[in-house]
Amino acid sequence: DVKVTQSSRYLVKRTGEKVFLECVQDMDHENMFWYRQDPGLGLRLIYFSYDVKMKEKGDIPEGYSVSREKKERFSLILESASTNQTSMYLCASARPLSYSNQPQHFGDGTRLSIL
Amino acid sequence: QQQVKQSPQSLIVQKGGIPIINCAYENTAFDYFPWYQQFPGKGPALLIAIRPDVSEKKEGRFTISFNKSAKQFSLHIMDSQPGDSATYFCAASMDNAGNMLTFGGGTRLMVKP
């Protein structure tokens, strides 16, 4: 069965800290995504990656960076956390377009609070 | 600015009712329209999807209606059950944008017993 695992369900950090959110998928998917979910705004794409060491900005990349050193792992980095980055963060993976439209498989999310 | 607008934000129906969730889009290049279902504490999961070459798609109790000229699509849940209580997201993507999805704002559905 498809599995996307996010390392933490809940995380509390302080403003100015560097924060790492980790995501691992076991499906050998090429594409991986990071979203943030806020009430009324749905899911907004932060970054995505279509291959190891490759990344593309999504709709709201400011204040974030990503790292993909291995195919199965995609990390989201908050360089200097701010209170407006308090949110639910969702990681997803999918097979590439060449396999025709493929569903994105989501992890269960990390609820991040920045104090 | 949301490219996919979803309404209503919340919806309460009685068991057996037919909740309807509507989405509208602006970008005519969108050509794939999935719906995702999210239960509390879980990530979204694909429920049903449609392409613009058909006007309706049914999977079990879930139906997508698609109106290409109006740039609108909607989700109907027949004979709704309390177990359908969840947040529903519509989304849209373009084939030439890989698997990137643009999501609507979500609808929180509650089905009362």
Side-chain angles (χ1 to χ4, degrees), chain A:
Chain A
D1 199 13
V2 167
K3 190 77 173 175
V4 177
T5 303
Q6 296 184 229
S7 55
S8 305
R9 291 300 302 271
Y10 301 95
L11 209 52
V12 180
K13 297 291 182 180
R14 297 203 173 274
T15 55
E17 280 194 70
K18 191 169 186 176
V19 181
F20 294 85
L21 303 183
E22 306 287 345
C23 175
V24 177
Q25 50 98 359
D26 65 357
M27 297 159 285
D28 202 35
H29 283 169
E30 286 79 0
N31 293 358
M32 296 189 74
F33 308 82
W34 274 107
Y35 295 89
R36 63 177 282 176
Q37 180 178 2
D38 299 288
L41 297 178
L43 281 68
R44 292 179 292 166
L45 182 65
I46 304 172
Y47 268 97
F48 76 99
S49 169
Y50 52 89
D51 202 350
V52 175
K53 297 191 185 294
M54 306 302 288
K55 62 184 179 184
E56 294 286 341
K57 292 180 179 179
D59 297 320
I60 52 165
E62 297 79 18
Y64 303 94
S65 62
V66 289
S67 172
R68 192 162 180 205
E69 296 296 318
K70 294 185 178 182
K71 189 176 185 180
E72 67 271 18
R73 187 179 297 271
F74 193 33
S75 303
L76 179 69
I77 304 157
L78 285 67
E79 297 291 343
S80 178
S82 64
T83 55
N84 63 12
Q85 293 178 309
T86 291
S87 186
M88 171 69 83
Y89 289 86
L90 289 163
C91 174
S93 73
R95 304 202 80 178
L97 182 62
S98 57
Y99 290 87
S100 188
N101 281 108
Q102 293 288 312
Q104 291 190 15
H105 299 273
F106 285 85
D108 289 336
T110 295
R111 186 165 294 281
L112 175 65
S113 296
I114 307 296
L115 305 179

Side-chain angles (χ1 to χ4, degrees), chain B residues 4-95:
Chain B
V4 179
K5 294 185 178 179
Q6 183 171 346
S7 62
Q9 277 196 301
S10 63
L11 189 53
I12 302 174
V13 300
Q14 293 293 134
K15 177 182 174 182
I18 305 176
I20 300 172
I21 304 171
N22 299 299
C23 286
Y25 63 97
E26 290 296 323
N27 189 344
T28 54
F30 286 142
D31 57 9
Y32 176 68
F33 302 89
W35 286 87
Y36 280 76
Q37 180 188 52
Q38 183 181 31
F39 292 108
K42 296 292 186 182
L46 179 67
L47 182 64
I48 186 173
I50 197 168
R51 284 194 166 275
D53 52 346
V54 297
S55 60
E56 185 176 277
K57 183 174 182 180
K58 288 185 181 181
E59 286 186 6
R61 295 183 294 106
F62 299 92
T63 299
I64 301 178
S65 298
F66 188 85
N67 186 330
K68 188 174 182 178
S69 60
K71 293 186 287 185
Q72 295 176 348
F73 58 110
S74 60
L75 177 70
H76 302 230
I77 306 175
M78 304 302 177
D79 187 28
S80 59
Q81 301 296 314
D84 296 329
S85 298
T87 300
Y88 292 82
F89 294 97
C90 62
S93 72
M94 296 175 280
D95 264 347

